[in-house]
Amino acid sequence: MKIVIINGSPRKGNTYAAAQTFKNEMTTLGNVEFTEFFLPQDLPEFCAGCMLCLEKDEQLCPHSEYTLPILEALLPADGIIFTTPVYALQTTGAVKAFFDHYAWMFVVHRARPEMFAKKAFVLSTTAGAGTRAAMKTIVTNLKFWGVNRIYSFGFALRAVDWDTVKPKRKEKFDTKLKKAAKRFYKEVVSGKKRSPYLLIKLMFHFRRGMLKKEEKTFSNEGADVKYWTEQNWFKKNPF
């Protein structure tokens, strides 16, 4: 099993400790190969808003030296784990900057078919509050990538550093986290492709109707029309 982990912060604090527990629990269940990226080190640039990825080709992104290696790791992976601490009641700025670079991969643009059977897990911790909002940003983007199923787990540890988390709270967190890791492992290893999220199906069909009109008007011009034609999505439903 191949799992890619995108760490939303370079700080090796509570969220990082939680990710290590999650990883260790998965490895007790079978052979798991992890590939990890840390933000912002592995994608240190903000999206330039140049639109080259959307209008032409993602390889023309001025930051492709960072975005393409991550994409190359994500596509063949069996699952994705995303982690984020809570910064100002939201996900980290590095995570937002990350997803800004991959908007071209939304299902209404040029979604990668490899994502349609993939499972993902979003993990977040906080000293106080905000995990729900932080995880929602990630979950929404992963849904629009076409990821088949996304699971999440957020927990308030009531401490800034792992070593200062109260023993009883740490034990409670550890138990829940290990159960979540087991469920995620079983879901990934099952290989079961579940029905796509209703919103994503609706967005796909709505966009197909739009692109069909564009195809007739602009004679296959445009990156999205070209891609959908190559994927034969004007005639078949990839889901």
Side-chain angles (χ1 to χ4, degrees):
M1 180 189 297
K2 293 183 178 181
I3 302 292
V4 170
I5 302 178
I6 307 292
N7 293 285
S9 168
R11 183 176 182 271
K12 295 185 177 180
N14 292 341
T15 305
Y16 179 78
Q20 299 314 299
T21 298
F22 199 94
K23 284 173 57 180
N24 292 337
E25 187 63 25
M26 288 188 71
T27 56
T28 65
L29 302 171
N31 184 24
V32 185
E33 176 185 335
F34 294 100
T35 300
E36 291 196 63
F37 296 95
F38 286 86
L39 303 176
Q41 291 96 318
D42 291 315
L43 209 176
E45 304 287 350
F46 286 105
C47 172
C50 62
M51 301 292 286
L52 286 172
C53 64
L54 287 169
E55 295 179 351
K56 294 184 178 180
D57 192 300
E58 65 275 9
Q59 296 192 29
L60 297 177
C61 172
H63 310 138
S64 61
E65 63 182 294
Y66 303 110
T67 60
L68 294 181
I70 296 175
L71 180 65
E72 289 171 5
L74 286 170
L75 292 180
D78 299 296
I80 306 168
I81 297 174
F82 240 102
T83 78
T84 183
V86 174
Y87 287 3
L89 299 178
Q90 252 296 346
T91 188
T92 68
V95 168
K96 180 62 171 67
F98 173 90
F99 281 115
D100 288 346
H101 282 88
Y102 295 97
W104 60 267
M105 205 163 69
F106 278 10
V107 71
V108 293
H109 294 298
R110 302 193 305 281
R112 291 299 186 254
E114 294 92 334
M115 292 292 171
F116 298 163
K118 212 178 296 298
K119 308 297 189 297
F121 194 94
V122 182
L123 173 62
S124 180
T125 72
T126 180
T131 58
R132 183 175 296 183
M135 294 188 297
K136 183 179 179 180
T137 297
I138 299 172
V139 170
T140 299
N141 277 272
L142 292 176
K143 282 183 178 180
F144 272 82
W145 280 8
V147 174
N148 184 241
R149 273 296 175 275
I150 303 140
Y151 307 91
S152 60
F153 178 75
F155 201 86
L157 288 163
R158 307 287 185 250
V160 175
D161 297 308
W162 185 249
D163 293 337
T164 60
V165 178
K166 291 182 178 180
K168 286 187 177 180
R169 194 156 193 84
K170 186 181 288 188
E171 182 181 355
K172 180 181 179 181
F173 173 69
D174 192 66
T175 299
K176 289 186 175 182
L177 188 59
K178 287 180 178 178
K179 286 183 179 179
K182 287 179 181 178
R183 289 195 296 269
F184 183 63
Y185 178 89
K186 291 179 180 178
E187 180 67 24
V188 175
V189 80
S190 73
K192 185 175 181 180
K193 186 176 180 181
R194 301 184 183 277
S195 177
Y197 293 103
L198 178 60
L199 173 63
I200 302 308
K201 290 171 67 175
L202 292 174
M203 292 300 294
F204 174 84
H205 289 293
F206 177 73
R207 181 61 169 165
R208 179 159 64 178
M210 290 179 62
L211 290 178
K212 279 183 177 180
K213 294 179 181 179
E214 183 180 342
E215 182 181 26
K216 294 174 183 177
T217 305
F218 297 105
S219 302
N220 283 344
E221 290 180 356
D224 289 356
V225 171
K226 179 181 178 183
Y227 183 77
W228 283 53
T229 301
E230 291 171 350
Q231 296 295 323
N232 199 29
W233 286 352
F234 290 115
K235 296 180 179 179
K236 71 175 184 179
N237 184 344
F239 298 111

